Amino acid sequence: MLAGLFEVEAVETPYGGMATSYEPLGHAWLKLGARRRRERVEAGRTAAVETTAAEARVDPRLRPGRMLRFGGADWTIVFVEVDGGRPGRAKLSLERVR
């Protein structure tokens, strides 16, 4: 699956709010794993969190905190691990809050 890669920049506005912008960095081909769903409770609020694993070619642009957009959804890169058993491949942990 082809995914768009974005740098997420959040800036506080003069009025105390947050303005978020997405700077495009390119694209990455992903091999997606199974999706899992769980609930997270923060500050008394429950949110559904979807997680998935993906495989991609090693790319220095794939870093935790950046966002991948595919299938009509935005996924945050949580963790990147270079696969020692398969040179040139990286394993990604992705998360999406619904």
Side-chain angles (χ1 to χ4, degrees), residues 7-13 17-23 65:
E7 177 74 47
V8 181
E9 295 183 24
V11 179
E12 188 172 342
T13 65
M18 293 298 285
T20 305
S21 63
Y22 301 92
E23 180 182 336

Side-chain angles (χ1 to χ4, degrees), residues 1 5 27-31 54-63 68 77 80-83 86-92:
M1 172 162 296
L5 178 63
H27 293 87
W29 283 102
L30 304 175
K31 178 181 176 185
E55 184 181 299
R57 293 203 179 267
V58 173
D59 187 335
R61 298 174 304 163
L62 296 173
R63 288 188 237 165
L68 289 166
I77 300 172
V80 179
E81 176 186 2
V82 176
D83 191 350
R86 298 185 65 197
R89 303 287 177 160
K91 294 180 183 177
L92 309 174

Side-chain angles (χ1 to χ4, degrees), residues 22-96:
Y22 301 92
E23 180 182 336
L25 299 175
H27 293 87
W29 283 102
L30 304 175
K31 178 181 176 185
L32 297 174
R35 293 182 183 184
R36 295 187 186 112
R37 190 179 197 144
R38 61 184 168 86
E39 289 187 354
R40 179 189 309 167
V41 179
E42 289 181 359
R45 184 174 162 240
T46 303
V49 178
E50 249 185 300
T51 60
T52 190
E55 184 181 299
R57 293 203 179 267
V58 173
D59 187 335
R61 298 174 304 163
L62 296 173
R63 288 188 237 165
R66 289 192 170 163
M67 193 248 319
L68 289 166
R69 181 174 288 156
F70 58 90
D74 296 341
W75 294 79
T76 302
I77 300 172
V78 178
F79 185 75
V80 179
E81 176 186 2
V82 176
D83 191 350
R86 298 185 65 197
R89 303 287 177 160
K91 294 180 183 177
L92 309 174
S93 293
L94 306 176
E95 181 177 273
R96 174 174 94 132

